Amino acid sequence: LAPLLLQLRRALADALFATPVRNYRARLKEALRLTGVIPNAYMRPPLLDLSPAECDAVKTAVAKVQVAAGWA
């Protein structure tokens, strides 16, 4: 179980801190929104919202972790 969790944690970190790294804040907010911690992932200027592809990558990583942990 531990190797699986380590692999999932790495996949989530890779999704959140993918290039460009400066967008990690928006990716982290999206992950928090997906898990219900915050109501929205709105980014105040000058930071930009995520592209649909970036949102999908975060959503996929979060979903894998939730399924493995039994949260979904």
Side-chain angles (χ1 to χ4, degrees), residues 12-33 38 41-43 46-51 54-55 57-58 62:
L12 182 60
D14 288 346
L16 294 177
F17 297 104
T19 56
V21 176
R22 68 180 175 269
N23 289 351
Y24 81 90
R25 295 169 194 89
R27 291 187 201 106
L28 184 56
K29 284 187 80 170
E30 181 64 17
L32 291 171
R33 183 192 69 79
I38 60 176
Y42 172 74
M43 297 300 295
L47 299 175
L48 302 174
D49 288 330
L50 295 177
S51 69
E54 287 177 305
C55 285
V58 172
V62 168

